[in-house]
Amino acid sequence: YDVVSYFSGEAQVGSATHSTKLNDVTYYFTSKEHLAAFEAAPTKYLPQFDGYCAWGVGAKESKFPINPETFDIVDGKLYLFYNGPFEGKTLNTLLPWNSETSVLLDAAHENWEKIEKI
């Protein structure tokens, strides 16, 4: 997904036509303008917690996979979330995140220092 597109409020699939590599990760963009914006300020657009589920990091001290279409922008930073099947039901971790954003955000940043290298 195009990490710049999230900041316009919509998760969009990028293209290999407009791509770049940073720290051994390939990023895809929807346009050359998005690619240029990313190259000018990559840290502005990178998802927090290396793209792991922000709720998982904050609430469970764990690295959960994400659904790239489930996200939040808080204080100009991109946070991604799990949204999919879990124990026979659907779990959308953005919902509990939204009900306790400030508490979970603080916990996630504290917990990330513990689990980042795991």
Side-chain angles (χ1 to χ4, degrees):
Y1 276 71
D2 176 345
V3 292
V4 175
S5 72
Y6 289 106
F7 291 84
S8 64
E10 185 179 354
Q12 297 178 319
V13 176
S15 163
T17 304
H18 309 292
S19 65
T20 190
K21 206 168 197 176
L22 178 69
N23 300 329
D24 295 325
V25 176
T26 302
Y27 293 90
Y28 299 95
F29 303 92
T30 58
S31 67
K32 64 182 179 182
E33 292 80 14
H34 281 198
L35 171 59
F38 179 81
E39 289 180 327
T43 56
K44 175 180 178 179
Y45 299 104
L46 292 175
Q48 301 300 289
F49 315 122
D50 290 345
Y52 287 101
C53 173
W55 177 85
V57 174
K60 301 296 182 184
E61 290 187 38
S62 295
K63 295 178 177 177
F64 291 6
I66 54 94
N67 175 328
E69 295 184 1
T70 307
F71 67 97
D72 194 13
I73 305 290
V74 179
D75 297 328
K77 300 291 184 186
L78 172 61
Y79 297 90
L80 301 171
F81 299 89
Y82 179 81
N83 184 2
F86 180 75
E87 297 181 352
K89 300 177 183 176
T90 297
L91 173 63
N92 181 348
T93 62
L94 180 60
L95 301 177
W97 173 267
N98 284 340
S99 69
E100 297 184 277
T101 301
S102 60
V103 171
L104 288 169
L105 185 60
D106 289 343
H109 283 286
E110 184 177 313
N111 293 344
W112 185 245
E113 292 179 17
K114 300 175 204 171
I115 66 171
E116 179 178 12
K117 303 289 186 211
I118 298 175

